[in-house]
Amino acid sequence: ASGRAVEQGGSEALEEAEPVTELSDLNALLRFALFNNAGLKAAFQQWHAALQKIPQSEALPDPRLSYGYFVRSVETRVGPQNHRIGITQTIPWFGTLKLRGEQAGREAEIALRQLEARREQIRFEVRNAYNEYAYLHRAIEIVDENIGLLKQLEGVAQAKFKGGGTYLGVLKAQVEMGKLDDRGASLRDLLEPVQARLNAALSREANAFLPAPKIVPAPSPEGDDAGLVARLAEANPDLLGLSAGIVREENGVALARKSFFPDVTLGVDYIQTGNALSPATPGNGKDPVVAMFSINIPLWWKKLRAGVQEAE
């Protein structure tokens, strides 16, 4: 992926979010969770920091400026040499900077995929806790509604009993109400830890206020099983990060092989020369300029081969 594509990929991570209110639905809670999660903010900053490594990797080494003062002047025909100023620039072998930039780009892509994976994990945790929270709320409502219906049936049975009927109907209604009371108490006991889990996913205190939930219908998967599996390679951030890691390491092998080739250093020296003893000397006081060219010698092949084998 190009640096620009990688740079645009994580812009969704830190969208501004409204505080949680009675009107907040699942989408509002998801936005709140994404904006307030400290781990996601850290992943966002790590990705942003990785982006800054791309221009650093593609840049040439700093040029080197040197200055020399002749403690004892070198007397030449055209005059004594007093000062020497030079500048040199090292240029890595052809393609080295490009490979370094591609490696840094893959590092940024890996950081982006880790950011996306963290974002999807937060969404999953919020949805999972919210759905259970909504289920418990609805289950408690249904139990309470059923208890209300049984109370009406008990009243009818009591009226029949007073009119000379049997007491069996009253007993059945009371037994069923007792079962529902136990069921309701069990559901209410489960509600508190689920609320705490949802608040934890939202990066809030365990007992913080939560709005009344709404049942969210589960989305239907698009396509068959084979199509869903095929989408993993294109959409799963963990797999995309691993793919970027493979390309990064392949670039690392190519970069290690570049170490067998020398770096080129170009430079210019300027030497300040004083006046000659004889003013009539041709070229009196002329300042020479020296062009320089040098290369390092990749001599220690055992070390270089070990570097390639390490990368492979």
Side-chain angles (χ1 to χ4, degrees):
S2 65
R4 178 175 297 179
V6 172
E7 186 172 356
Q8 293 173 347
S11 58
E12 182 188 352
L14 297 180
E15 287 184 352
E16 187 70 41
E18 297 294 331
V20 176
T21 66
E22 293 181 356
L23 301 178
S24 298
D25 57 6
L26 176 58
N27 290 329
L29 294 180
L30 287 170
R31 288 192 297 270
F32 182 91
L34 292 176
F35 183 75
N36 291 280
N37 186 274
L40 187 63
K41 290 181 179 180
F44 180 86
Q45 295 299 338
Q46 289 167 355
W47 163 71
H48 190 66
L51 284 176
Q52 311 313 312
K53 294 182 180 180
I54 298 176
Q56 297 179 62
S57 303
E58 296 174 335
L60 288 169
D62 291 336
R64 182 177 295 275
L65 179 67
S66 61
Y67 169 79
Y69 172 73
F70 291 88
V71 179
R72 291 185 179 181
S73 298
V74 177
E75 191 66 49
T76 66
R77 182 179 60 82
V78 296
Q81 295 181 345
N82 299 320
H83 305 275
R84 182 180 185 134
I85 300 175
I87 187 168
T88 58
Q89 174 66 64
T90 298
I91 303 174
W93 191 256
F94 303 105
T96 300
L97 292 180
K98 181 181 178 182
L99 284 172
R100 289 176 182 172
E102 289 177 356
Q103 265 202 312
R106 296 301 175 178
E107 288 284 358
E109 184 178 358
I110 292 171
L112 172 61
R113 301 310 176 191
Q114 291 172 344
L115 168 63
E116 292 174 344
R118 179 58 184 157
R119 186 163 56 204
E120 292 305 320
Q121 181 64 28
I122 293 169
R123 285 173 172 160
F124 170 77
E125 291 172 357
V126 172
R127 284 195 181 103
N128 185 269
Y130 185 88
N131 287 336
E132 189 169 354
Y133 176 57
Y135 161 76
L136 287 175
H137 259 268
R138 183 59 184 144
I140 292 171
E141 289 176 357
I142 292 173
V143 168
D144 290 342
E145 290 172 2
N146 288 336
I147 290 175
L149 291 174
L150 284 174
K151 285 182 178 179
Q152 294 178 12
L153 291 175
E154 183 192 18
V156 173
Q158 289 279 8
K160 289 183 177 180
F161 173 70
K162 291 178 181 178
T166 65
Y167 196 69
L168 183 60
V170 178
L171 288 176
K172 285 183 177 180
Q174 291 177 346
V175 168
E176 291 300 323
M177 279 194 294
K179 291 179 180 179
L180 289 176
D181 283 335
D182 291 340
R183 173 64 175 163
S186 298
L187 291 172
R188 287 181 173 84
D189 289 340
L190 292 173
L191 189 60
E192 184 175 349
V194 170
Q195 289 175 323
R197 184 156 65 89
L198 178 55
N199 274 319
L202 296 171
S203 300
R204 304 169 77 218
E205 294 183 0
N207 58 351
F209 163 79
L210 286 172
K214 299 177 182 178
I215 297 295
V216 180
S220 301
E222 299 177 0
D224 55 10
D225 291 348
L228 292 174
V229 172
R231 284 183 54 194
L232 285 175
E234 301 175 357
N236 185 281
D238 291 324
L239 294 181
L240 291 173
L242 289 173
S243 297
I246 291 172
V247 178
R248 177 195 61 188
E249 300 304 335
E250 289 173 345
N251 287 339
V253 174
L255 191 59
R257 289 173 179 159
K258 290 290 184 182
S259 62
F260 284 92
F261 300 93
D263 296 333
V264 177
T265 300
L266 304 176
V268 176
D269 271 7
Y270 167 79
I271 302 175
Q272 190 271 324
T273 305
N275 294 324
L277 295 176
S278 173
T281 301
N284 176 32
K286 186 176 181 180
D287 299 331
V289 177
V290 182
M292 296 185 299
F293 168 84
S294 67
I295 61 172
N296 64 303
I297 302 176
L299 184 61
W300 314 117
W301 279 38
K302 183 177 180 181
K303 177 189 74 172
L304 302 179
R305 283 196 297 266
V308 174
Q309 290 173 0
E310 176 192 1
E312 290 174 344

